[in-house]
Amino acid sequence: MSDFDFDLFVIGGGSGGVRAARIAAGYGAKVGLAEEYRMGGTCVIRGCVPKKLMVYASGYPEAVKEAQAYGWDAKIGAFDWGIFHGKLEAELDRLEGLYRKGQEGAGVSIHDCRATVAGPHEVALADGRSVTAKHILIAVGGKPFVPQFDGCEHVLTSNDMFKFKTLPKKMLIVGGGYIACEFAGIMNGLGTEVSVLNRSPFLRGFDAESRDVIIGQMERAGITMRTGHVIDRVTKTGESVTVHIAGEAEETYDAVLYATGRVPLTEGLGLEAAGVKLGQRGEVLVDEWSQTNVPSIFAVGDVTDRIQLTPVAIREGHAFADTVFGATPRKMDHDLVASAVFTQPEFGTCGVTEEEAKGTGADIYTSSFRPMKSLFAGNDEKVLLKLIVDQKTQVVTGCHIVGPDAGEMIQMVAIAMKMGATKAQFDATCAVHPTMAEELVTMRNPTRSV
């Protein structure tokens, strides 16, 4: 008989937590899991999934314009948020049910309440119970960050973007990261007048040339993009929200979204009292095995602030379960993790940026053009495909794609990059014509070297 109630207790029912719990249970471990909100976590309930569905919804007006240019007698009426939102909620309910069913089918004991760490082997549940576990896994993810200022209670976060009763007609988005830019495109496509304001450049940290293409097309789509501005305070009158910009006039909107980053959700979790070390942003500090300084406590996903991506959390959770319960030591490889940003235009990226490669000796290959579909329709949209190649090894160390279905393309490129493909191997691959992706294997001469 075990000295503990559980072999593993997972705090958090998001992507990383449920994967770790299911795999560990499959190895015969007795597993418990606590989730205080909804099974599925940020990605399924209030992030990737509903956001991508909103991206799809927002793209139809432009699709109808293209259809007209191709000869179709196509028309589009007003967008009915009520119809879309009802179907969205039903889909999220369906997905949550699948997550719960998967856990129950694996034999995981689910606790629908908040849980905190009470010690190296003890978890306190909000319903008053206390359980013990040989291993504890922290997988609570992160939360939107809103700075403290006068009137901050009047602004929305990304968590609120799927809960509108009616869509705002005029909206301000504060922030310059991918979440801010994604929602700017979504709301603009759904018919909202959108302004985006940030104190520093947009999409900072991404490849600058790619970033400039994205921002330029967002502006051409009618989104107002402004940098170098700081909001002093926010006031609310009735249904209107007024922002007071330092040194400038007041501006009034129907809604103000703060997309100013995310922070690990460790506050009040009891980790520090249990002896677990946290970083400056509140992240759980772990080693390459996702283990904290307390040997019985592990952490995966956004709460560790390594790479905040759902597939990363899933792989970290799976590797943890394989290592601890499957007698198969395995670490998550955080190198060359591809990602997609669902701005409009879409952005796929993997590896180093041109700025990161500067001074290391790299050749930059670029191709920018109007794709066939858009060109025929009279659309000014351009795509950008970019490769960064190490001069000494000729290995492709970076790839950045701006254009339709860039996320789909970067997934395929990432496979070759993970295998260490060289520029010569890209060149030796026969092109698929006519496609945008064929440019990845037909760029023969570098545009520049850094």
Side-chain angles (χ1 to χ4, degrees), residues 128-146:
R129 292 175 295 160
S130 179
V131 299
T132 59
K134 185 175 182 180
H135 302 282
I136 297 172
L137 179 66
I138 309 301
V140 294
K143 66 176 181 178
F145 169 75
V146 176

Side-chain angles (χ1 to χ4, degrees), residues 151-163:
C152 62
E153 68 274 13
H154 301 310
V155 305
L156 306 175
T157 71
S158 58
N159 289 351
D160 304 307
M161 294 299 291
F162 316 109
K163 301 177 182 178

